Amino acid sequence: MIRVALAVAAGGAVGSVLRFLASSWVAGNWPRHFYLGTFAVNLVGCLLIGLLSGLFLTRTDLPQELRTGLITGVLGGFTTFSSFSLEIMKLIEGGRAVEALGYLAFSIIGGLLAAWAGLSLARLAA
């Protein structure tokens, strides 16, 4: 169990740093659209979690440390609902309610579609 916990911790560090770098890059290049970094990592994360979950269903021989470290650690650190929620509140408080609602809708629908696409890709590869 300790090895799985260490894999999650290490993966979480990697995922968090990747999210920070992506968000920083977007905010530096498009400050008005600061939220697109979180939007992008959430969609990519949903795609990857669907893909990896599907692949891991057929690859039970892979170590639990690897499977849990990637899904719970890396992708858990990479995607974030708390930042997403805060960014929506900032948009609303900034008088950009329509943009906030669009971000909310596209994130949820896009995330579901990305997770479905990842699972479908995994099934095609099986």
Side-chain angles (χ1 to χ4, degrees):
M1 183 60 139
I2 190 73
R3 289 173 39 173
V4 174
L6 290 172
V8 169
V14 169
S16 295
V17 169
L18 290 173
R19 176 173 28 97
F20 166 75
L21 292 173
S23 294
S24 296
W25 184 81
V26 168
N29 287 287
W30 300 292
R32 176 162 168 75
H33 302 290
F34 61 91
Y35 56 88
L36 291 179
T38 300
F39 178 69
V41 299
N42 281 338
L43 289 184
V44 169
C46 287
L47 176 68
L48 291 176
I49 205 165
L51 179 64
L52 290 176
S53 293
L55 292 175
F56 292 161
L57 288 174
T58 61
R59 293 295 314 269
T60 56
D61 58 311
L62 294 173
Q64 184 182 7
E65 295 87 355
L66 175 66
R67 291 180 284 137
T68 307
L70 286 173
I71 289 181
T72 304
V74 175
L75 294 177
F78 185 61
T79 62
T80 175
F81 192 74
S82 56
S83 291
F84 168 67
S85 299
L86 180 61
E87 289 168 351
I88 288 174
M89 292 309 304
K90 284 182 179 180
L91 288 169
I92 291 169
E93 290 175 353
R96 297 162 67 186
V98 172
E99 200 169 352
L101 288 174
Y103 178 33
L104 174 70
F106 283 114
S107 293
I108 292 170
I109 293 167
L112 289 170
L113 288 173
W116 170 80
L119 281 168
S120 297
L121 287 171
R123 289 181 181 127
L124 284 175

